[in-house]
Amino acid sequence: MASSLAAQLAHIRADSSNSLDIKAQKKAHSKSLIFPPHDAALQDFDTIFEICFDGFEELCRIDPRFTEFAGSIFSAQSKYEDRTQMSLDQNQHLDVVLQDFLGLVGERLHLEPAQKAVEWLVRRFRIHENNTTSFVFTFLPYHSTSFFLTVLSILPNHIPTIFKFLHPYRQSSTFLPRHAIVHAAAHNKGFLETFGTHVIALCQKNYQNPVLLSFWATITTEALTVKLSQNPVESHKELKKTQEDSIIRILSLLSRALSFKSIPGLKVACYMILTVIGCKRHLGDDILTSIMNAVTVGWESTINAGIICLSALAQRREDFRLPKQTLKALLAVKTIASDLVTLGKHYNVERLAFGLVLGVIDKSRKQGFPENLVLAQTVIEANLLRPTYIAATIRAMVNAVQENSQDTKLTQKSKLETSLADIVSRLADVKMIGHIVRDVLEGSEIHTRLVESDVEQAENALGLNLKPPIEIRTAKPEDILTSSESFEALVNRIPTQMNGEKSFLSRAESCVFGSLSDAFVSACQSSENLDQFCNLPVLRKPFALTEPLFISFFIRTWCGPSAQAVRAAAITVILNYLREQQHIPDVQILLPYIIYALADPSNAVRNAAAQLTLVLDQSCSRIALQNMPNRDQEILGQDQFYGQGKESKRVTWLAEEEVTSLIRNILVPNIEECRLDAAQIPRYINACLKKGAVSKGSKQYGSELKKSLKLSVFTTLCDHIVSTPLYRVKARLLPIVTRIGSVGNTSCSKLMMPLLDQTWNEGQQGLETICEKEQIDVLQFANCLMEIISPIDKDSIKFLQNMIISCDPSFTIFIKTSFQRLCTIWSVMKHQSQLDFANAILEIAFPAASDNKDLKQTEAASTLQKVSLSALILQNFLDSLPRLSRKPSQPPAAKRRRVSHETAMDISSTDISPLLCHIKKIYFLLELLEGLNSGKDPRLLDGLFRLLGDLLTFGRQAGTKFDYLELMAVENLLSVSKSVEANPDLRLDKSTIRVDLLIDCIEVTTNVQLQQSTLLLLATLARINPDLVLNNIMPIFTHISKGLLRENDDYSAQVVEKTMVSVIPRIVTSLQKRDEDPIASISKLMLNFVAAFEFIPPFRRTNVFSGLVRQLGADRYLYALLVLLIDKFPRNEQILQFCSDLMEQHDIQTQLISTEYNSTVLLVSFTTVVMDERFRAKMAKAPAHGEHLTEKALQEHLQLLNDVLGRQSKSAMTLQSKSIWDLLLKAFDLRYTLSTSSDRMGYDDSEVEDLERSARSTAVSMIYKLNDTTFRPLFIQGLEWTQASNVEDTAPNIDRQITWFYFLLEFFGNLKAVVTSYAGLIVEDVTQILNAEPTQSVQSMLLWKRVLLTLQQSFKHDQEEFWQSPSHFDPVCQSLTAQFQHASKVAMESEVIPAVTELAVAADSANHHRSLNACLLPLLRSDHAAVRLAVVHCELNLTSRLGEEWLSLLPEMLPLISELQEDDDEDVYAATSKWIGKIEEILGESISPMLQ
């Protein structure tokens, strides 16, 4: 009692949330997501809330939707909320809020703020205990993370049943694998439903997240795949019912989910799940209809995914037609046709497309108006439907026309039928499906009539009665005993006279079999009637073991088209009869027909045949046990079974032991398999006669058969097939022996040729009559017959060839099947046979003159397209073509290129039929060559070139063009050439190459496509052997410049590019190998492109010229092309930009080399202009614009270089900086070059300054992309360059110094504070220049001004206190102030005074100001008024700019100011007054007292 009470109390304590167990409370409080348990246990709720609230605030900044929880679970009051003290309603409301928050935070749980926020829910509200389901589902997508291990560790011991699978991983602290979740979802009852409900509830509140949706969709899909793959057997009805209930609940959830229109992710997830359910479980059309309708609700943003789902569901429907709502939704998608075509490349959309097409046709039929019918055409042409569906679609169209023509108005009728006629006509002309359409519509000319505009003709064409194909079929069970006559009446109708009939399987027509058959069918109702029937005197049952009449009747019955019950009853009669016999004679006549019955599609027939086999086996056993073999026993029906003529004697009969072996070793061991499957008996016979035994599992049935037995069985079976009059038997057994092929040296072809010859003699009408009577498909049977023909048997091959040649065009069945057989055996035929057949078929396909093309010609042409033709056959085809010619009006030339022995076709005759036929033949052969690998053999080149020459020659003679044929010939030549190029082992006869014909073709034709293909051929030949096209290079590129370069299409551009890639490099290499300088030839080539520049589409110019230069070698010829372009278009404003774009296509090294080369050449040319008297004289005679051509070209090239540098990366610029700088220094040297000449040729300083300006701009562009380490050495090199004009002269060069300080002015002005430190490198040069006399020359004055302006820019942008350094300040200060001594000769206002002012600002030091002022004040006492005036202006500027800082020196200046007030020069006096006024303005008081 005590132990029981203790257990109850323990259970209560474990489940109670109000336990007074302090230790348990502390343990519960220590459960945390982000803190270790020992740390969490010490934390109070204030601390926890402060930490977690930071995370919550961060979440609010990420997503404002979180702010709605600020007033509830994250309010300050929440710290004091205790769930144990809340009411039930309050807890339920809290659960809703907590679940909402978990749904919203789910996709961000990988973020630290989210983890902190959820930590508060765990610590304060214990959601892991009170909301376990939502908590686990929220974290489950993160099951592979270490964070999820913490989640598992804080879960309570008692968790919902659906999560029981978590226990092992929780206890072992191991990661939860995905397959465990899938297994749980598949086997745990309620998991999928609960998970789905959780997801949909969140979506309903718009809290869905892609992480959870994706996880739910994939887990559910995988789980359902596992769940539905379990096919419960019948005994597990409960499991089956459980699965069905689960599916129904899931479908209900998915139906709800699909109703949410604004959540595409949820819809796509539902589509995935529905696809799995639809594919794995048969749901029935009603359920599938509901699902498909639900899929289309609000699917605007998920149409493609929805179509994929519908496609999978449509595959499972028994009804091909789509639900009305689904059909309406699909038709509402404007792009449904293209969507189906696109998706059809990756998914099976066949059933959906078929249902959609049927729906469109049905809708049009009901409305009497064509609507969306083009959709049907698109679907069929896109090859989305199998042939049977296409045929059904065409039939539906025909039915729609027929029904519409009866009850619609004329206008609607015309519109619908005209639309259908147009669609069917188009489909009939589609290569892959046209034959299906034509077969359905029945009529060889139907496709031509359909395209006519006359509505009545279209109606007649579509109104044809379709002839249903005759198939091998039997009567249905319900067709039995449909006669209204009684059995007695039927028996009374049976003739009593047999007219000498010995067997019902003789060739002669039976006068009794029909009435006997009717009576037997009736007799099958009753065993009494059946016994009475069997004992009819006419059947001679008592003599059944000695004559074949009785047995042959029932054989013919079970081998006929009767119902399965009748066929089975016929076998049963023989079975029962033989069972009653003590001794059964040799009834081997039954064996072929037993094999036939074992292959019957009816189980009942096969069972009866199997029992009959066992009866025969028992008879064999009895004979063996009694040891009474009778080798002289007569074979039943041996001379009478197939009639008393040669048919019965043709059969090779088996010996008694061979019969026994056939039954016991072949039929009996496999009889049970044959009962179950009609396909087993052909398989076993094939295996036995080919291999000798048949294996079943690990046991081998039947001992190894002797070769003699196999041959005997095979021969006998073939003889029976030939001799039997039952074509149903022939049709079923024939594939068995043809599949065996041969046994030993005896082939099926030799044994079965009589049957083939016999059928051929029957003719098509006879064969159709027989097949219709026996209800077998005539075409299928004809195909079986053709399998008799063996590719290794000469006689059968000869028979096939004679059949094809001599077959009447009306024998359509033999035509189709014979050509089809030829295609099948072609690959294993000997080559000579192939050649003979090919020549014969080509003549059939294209007779000398034929106006109408019949089926035989069509099949012949189709066969040549299907089989693999060797290169020798194709070569023979080309050689057999007669030469096109006109009767020459003049005698032929004495010298001919080659002598041809081919026949020539005289096309001067007025009868053009032979010519048209010949043209068709050429077209066919060229098309044939395109599709064959053997058509790429180099042996075909001679024939193809000869054909191309004929076409070109005849075109000129006849005044017509064969552009398309010429194009096909060139395309084939191109294929052969590419094959030779790809396979160097192929030998190429160079004598067969006619480049002259190709050039002729290019020049004559105006067809762009032909030009393109010919150029590609020339390009390929150039790659193979450049010498072939070297002598014709200029005509090629002349044509390119005048033709394809001016085309606007992409393909022409590709052709030009390929031609350049293939021809140009090899031409250059070839020229070099000949020790020839390629410059002249290459220049002519480039001039072709340059001349076409204006005609090339602007957007393509850069690619064309870039490709040209790339193939020539950009490092060698880019400069030449640029010079040619600029020289050709000196006034074209687009040239400079184009040249810049062109250079950009190449690497920086090439660009710089080219630009340097161009510029150097132009600089040298510029110098030549100045120095060479002859050149000056030549230029004097040039047009006016040519005088400065070199200068302008240099200007453009410098601008081009500037553009190039502006587009290069810093790393590339760094690598090439030295080369670029050297080039720029050459450009800087223009001033010096001109100054050393005696005549400047009219070039003034402004033009030189323009050139220098371009060079300076380019230099600055380069410097922007260099760092100090790279540029400082270059700067020093520039300083050294200014010192001398050559190595011997070390004196500074004033022209170079002028250019240099022009550059420095822009250098310091543009780069500002970044380069202030570089001023230290020029201080020495500056002081030297400033200390010199500036007025010595114009150059000296110009240099003096550039130096002062340069210093001004350097002072102005000093931000690093560079000029505060005494070593920098002092020498410059002294040199600058000394410049006032030149005030009487040079103005100071523009250069000196601003420079001194900026120096004072940059110095920013009282000491430096005092030093500067000390240099200025003495000058105020100069004897020259101009000096005093300039210094006063300078002091005024300094006072205005520096203000009180400068006026700190006022005590030193006051005495001098007083003196200046008494200066005799009025200008000095006036300037002094302004200075005093500025001082007083700054100080705010008068300084007059200080001056007294």
Side-chain angles (χ1 to χ4, degrees), residues 833-845:
S833 297
Q834 291 180 344
L835 181 59
D836 294 340
F837 263 109
N839 289 331
I841 294 173
L842 184 63
E843 291 304 317
I844 293 172

Side-chain angles (χ1 to χ4, degrees), residues 178 208 242 291 399 660 678 854 873 961 967 994 1000 1047 1104 1173 1190 1401:
R178 183 182 182 84
Q208 73 280 353
T242 301
I291 296 175
N399 293 336
T660 301
D854 55 34
I873 294 176
K961 293 183 178 180
L967 173 62
R994 295 286 306 277
D1000 188 20
E1047 295 295 331
V1104 170
E1173 295 295 334
T1190 308
V1401 174

Side-chain angles (χ1 to χ4, degrees), residues 311-508:
S311 300
L313 297 175
Q315 294 291 120
R316 308 293 292 180
R317 279 174 57 88
E318 295 181 1
D319 188 356
F320 286 100
R321 299 184 184 275
L322 298 178
K324 292 183 179 180
Q325 182 178 331
T326 304
L327 177 63
K328 183 178 179 181
L330 286 170
L331 292 178
V333 179
K334 295 181 179 179
T335 59
I336 184 61
S338 59
D339 290 345
L340 283 174
V341 173
T342 302
L343 295 174
K345 298 177 182 178
H346 308 285
Y347 305 95
N348 184 359
V349 299
E350 182 183 49
R351 282 291 294 271
L352 180 67
F354 183 46
L356 181 61
V357 168
L358 292 180
V360 167
I361 297 172
D362 189 54
K363 187 176 181 181
S364 298
R365 177 184 58 81
K366 291 178 179 179
Q367 296 176 350
F369 186 80
E371 183 177 358
N372 295 316
L373 284 178
V374 178
L375 173 64
Q377 178 183 344
T378 303
V379 168
I380 294 176
E381 288 179 344
N383 202 24
L384 296 181
L385 304 182
R386 67 183 67 174
T388 54
Y389 289 175
I390 295 174
T393 302
I394 303 302
R395 291 191 182 99
M397 291 181 178
V398 174
N399 293 336
V401 171
Q402 292 173 340
E403 181 177 339
N404 180 257
S405 62
Q406 300 173 3
D407 57 2
T408 57
K409 297 179 180 179
L410 179 62
T411 302
Q412 293 175 325
K413 171 181 174 182
S414 299
K415 290 182 179 179
L416 176 60
E417 294 176 2
T418 301
S419 297
L420 286 171
D422 181 63
I423 291 174
V424 174
S425 173
R426 292 173 186 266
L427 294 177
D429 290 335
V430 177
K431 184 175 181 180
M432 299 299 295
I433 63 174
H435 65 283
I436 302 174
V437 179
R438 291 189 291 271
D439 289 345
V440 172
L441 295 178
E442 189 188 27
S444 61
E445 296 182 1
I446 185 66
H447 61 285
T448 59
R449 296 172 60 191
L450 287 174
V451 299
E452 297 178 4
S453 59
D454 187 11
V455 175
E456 182 178 355
Q457 289 184 344
E459 291 176 3
N460 294 334
L462 286 174
L464 288 172
N465 293 323
L466 301 179
K467 181 180 178 181
I470 300 175
E471 302 174 353
I472 299 179
R473 61 183 186 277
T474 57
K476 299 180 181 178
E478 57 269 20
D479 295 335
I480 303 176
L481 311 179
T482 57
S483 176
S484 60
E485 297 184 69
S486 64
F487 172 69
E488 290 75 11
L490 292 172
V491 169
N492 291 332
R493 288 174 49 197
I494 299 174
T496 58
Q497 299 295 327
M498 290 294 296
N499 293 332
E501 289 188 46
K502 300 297 183 181
S503 171
F504 288 105
L505 293 178
S506 65
R507 289 284 174 180

Side-chain angles (χ1 to χ4, degrees), residues 802-950:
N802 291 334
M803 178 185 289
I804 289 175
I805 295 174
S806 62
C807 185
D808 189 275
S810 62
F811 286 14
T812 57
I813 293 176
F814 291 111
I815 291 173
K816 290 182 179 179
T817 55
S818 60
F819 278 110
Q820 184 175 343
R821 183 58 180 169
L822 177 60
C823 292
T824 303
I825 66 175
W826 181 272
S827 60
V828 291
M829 288 171 56
K830 294 181 178 179
H831 186 265
Q832 185 59 45
S833 297
Q834 291 180 344
L835 181 59
D836 294 340
F837 263 109
N839 289 331
I841 294 173
L842 184 63
E843 291 304 317
I844 293 172
F846 299 96
S850 177
D851 295 332
N852 298 320
K853 192 171 186 179
D854 55 34
L855 177 63
K856 188 174 180 180
Q857 295 175 7
T858 302
E859 289 292 330
S862 177
T863 299
L864 289 175
Q865 292 172 330
K866 293 177 183 177
V867 299
S868 176
L869 301 174
S870 68
L872 290 176
I873 294 176
L874 297 175
Q875 185 180 10
N876 187 68
F877 283 172
L878 291 173
D879 292 341
S880 67
L881 291 174
R883 302 294 296 270
L884 291 170
S885 67
R886 277 186 175 274
K887 290 183 177 179
S889 58
Q890 299 177 354
K895 183 178 181 181
R896 299 177 60 89
R897 184 178 180 272
R898 62 163 62 90
V899 178
S900 177
H901 300 284
E902 295 89 350
T903 59
M905 174 175 289
D906 180 14
I907 51 85
S908 61
S909 173
T910 56
D911 183 10
I912 64 171
S913 296
L915 174 61
L916 293 178
C917 184
H918 184 60
I919 294 299
K920 291 179 181 178
K921 190 174 184 179
I922 293 175
Y923 172 81
F924 176 80
L925 288 180
L926 291 174
E927 188 179 53
L928 191 65
L929 291 175
E930 289 180 352
L932 295 174
N933 289 330
S934 54
K936 302 174 177 60
D937 194 286
R939 287 173 289 184
L940 302 177
L941 287 174
D942 184 56
L944 286 170
F945 271 113
R946 186 168 61 252
L947 176 58
L948 178 61
D950 276 358

